[in-house]
Amino acid sequence: MYKFLFSAVLSLCCSPLAYAQTSTSTFPVPTEAETLEQRKPHIGVRLGVADSDSNYRSAAEVGIEAGFQPYIPYGLGIEVTNFTADNSTDGVGDLNRTKLLIRGTYNFGGTNEIVRRSYVGVGVGPVFDTVPGDSDMRMGTDLVAGIDFPLNSTGLVTHKMFSLGATANYLFVSNSGADTFGVNGLVKYWF
């Protein structure tokens, strides 16, 4: 179910026809980022929910991220998130998962507010799983789709350096680890 939902959201964000955009406005021409504004350095705090595809219940997920855009429209960043999920069956302890991912993103453009503030990406890195009596490190691959809205455009804040956004991601874990679907809200500070 989660894989289908994530695929539908990802295809909707990637389809220029869904928003009646031309490919030249939705997909920016790759250009080297020369100014600080074009590089878009940022740090952010995330809070949301993670749900694994095994016997664990949904859990609150917290994290931090940082990134920048070295080459328009491609972003590069790092994220660290953590959650602890209760086991829904007896005999197995709770799962504590920390992921440390390097992430590459593609930032859309155009005139449509929703599309031009959206991005898709892939993250790769170690995933540290701990259950009582056992700790494992596995490799994870994370598919992500997200959106950021500057708070000054809403009239809530007059300073353009903060944004409010959301991200949905699906983490594939190696060695029979529990895959995870997550939805997070984000507050970012842009330098």
Side-chain angles (χ1 to χ4, degrees), residues 61-140:
E61 182 176 45
V62 297
I64 58 172
E65 67 175 59
F68 71 107
Q69 180 175 252
Y71 205 82
I72 299 169
Y74 305 104
L76 186 61
I78 187 168
E79 80 175 68
V80 178
T81 59
N82 180 267
F83 71 86
T84 300
D86 295 334
N87 195 309
S88 61
T89 60
D90 294 330
V92 180
D94 298 344
L95 169 68
N96 182 294
R97 171 170 285 170
T98 301
K99 60 182 180 179
L100 173 61
L101 303 177
I102 294 174
R103 185 176 62 211
T105 57
Y106 182 89
N107 304 301
F108 294 104
T111 56
N112 183 291
E113 278 297 306
I114 293 173
V115 175
R116 76 184 187 104
R117 307 229 182 257
S118 300
Y119 58 90
V120 293
V122 175
V124 177
V127 175
F128 303 94
D129 287 346
T130 303
V131 292
D134 188 27
S135 294
D136 287 316
M137 183 190 83
R138 299 178 169 100
M139 286 305 295

Side-chain angles (χ1 to χ4, degrees), residues 10-52:
L10 190 62
S11 65
L12 184 63
C13 288
C14 291
S15 173
L17 297 176
Y19 299 101
Q21 296 286 320
T22 64
S23 63
T24 57
S25 64
T26 301
F27 301 100
V29 174
T31 312
E32 186 175 349
E34 297 176 357
T35 66
L36 186 64
E37 185 176 347
Q38 290 175 337
R39 288 187 189 104
K40 300 182 179 185
H42 64 274
I43 58 173
V45 177
R46 342 170 36 141
L47 178 62
V49 106
D51 187 28
S52 69

Side-chain angles (χ1 to χ4, degrees), residues 102-182:
I102 294 174
R103 185 176 62 211
T105 57
Y106 182 89
N107 304 301
F108 294 104
T111 56
N112 183 291
E113 278 297 306
I114 293 173
V115 175
R116 76 184 187 104
R117 307 229 182 257
S118 300
Y119 58 90
V120 293
V122 175
V124 177
V127 175
F128 303 94
D129 287 346
T130 303
V131 292
D134 188 27
S135 294
D136 287 316
M137 183 190 83
R138 299 178 169 100
M139 286 305 295
T141 303
D142 197 34
L143 301 177
V144 63
I147 192 164
D148 290 308
F149 286 104
L151 289 178
N152 66 326
S153 66
T154 63
L156 297 175
V157 176
T158 57
H159 202 273
K160 70 176 185 176
M161 292 190 174
F162 289 96
S163 69
L164 186 61
T167 184
N169 65 295
Y170 195 90
L171 177 70
F172 298 93
V173 181
S174 66
N175 297 336
S176 70
D179 294 345
T180 307
F181 175 73

